[in-house]
Amino acid sequence: MKSLERIPFLANVLIVTCSRPNAEVGKLVKAVVTYVTEGTRTVLDDLRLQAYYDLLQQDIDSMRAAAEAKSKKCSESAKCRAVRNASSPVIPTKKANAANVANATTAKSKAITETVVSSPVADTTNVAAVSQDSGQLNDSSYSKDSNGTVASNDFNGSDVTPSFDRLKVIYKKVGDNESQAFGVWQQLSESERTAAFAHTQRMQGDLSSRSYLYVYLRDKEWTKATSPVTQ
């Protein structure tokens, strides 16, 4: 069982628990710490405390599973890189190829510029075409969807934690249920995460009319939208 560097407490559970007597709060905290450090599940003599404990345990298990999956993926990636590096000693060739690509791009840009300058009958149509071509050279690392939204091609829905962090920044309305939202995010497939992220980029309007991130993911609201959201 992978150890955790920190012990999480769901905010809503902790707030309700702290309204109970100090002795009961202490029992619950001790039970959680025992589970995290020793892996031993504690049976509490109070049904409410037991329910709070079960919720916290599920959240801890979700975080531990995510940490183990990420660690395993990083380990496998490191092994693959080591094998590739061992079997591909021709590093100078890669550098040469990169230099050739850079030179070809520079030559193309120069040729376009010279065509516009030297042509005595160049009009605004030609200039617009050259500008568009140059823009394509500069924007080659981005793609646009049907609504014109520019999205970075490096979004990776299979990498759970980084992709969730990117989603939070764009969605903005996270609220107090971030841990629960992350738990739902873990259960989604890679294609569902990608679809949710793409839909979030197109969302507009007042944040107050938007569901909290946990509800958005739980109800898969992006699947109900037939057109860009204009709240």
Side-chain angles (χ1 to χ4, degrees), residues 62-73:
S62 295
M63 292 191 66
R64 180 178 281 122
E68 290 177 347
K70 183 177 181 180
S71 176
K72 181 179 179 181
K73 183 174 181 179

Side-chain angles (χ1 to χ4, degrees), residues 12-29:
N12 54 346
V13 175
L14 188 60
I15 291 172
V16 174
T17 305
C18 287
S19 65
R20 305 290 296 273
N22 292 342
E24 295 183 6
V25 176
K27 287 182 181 179
L28 179 61
V29 172

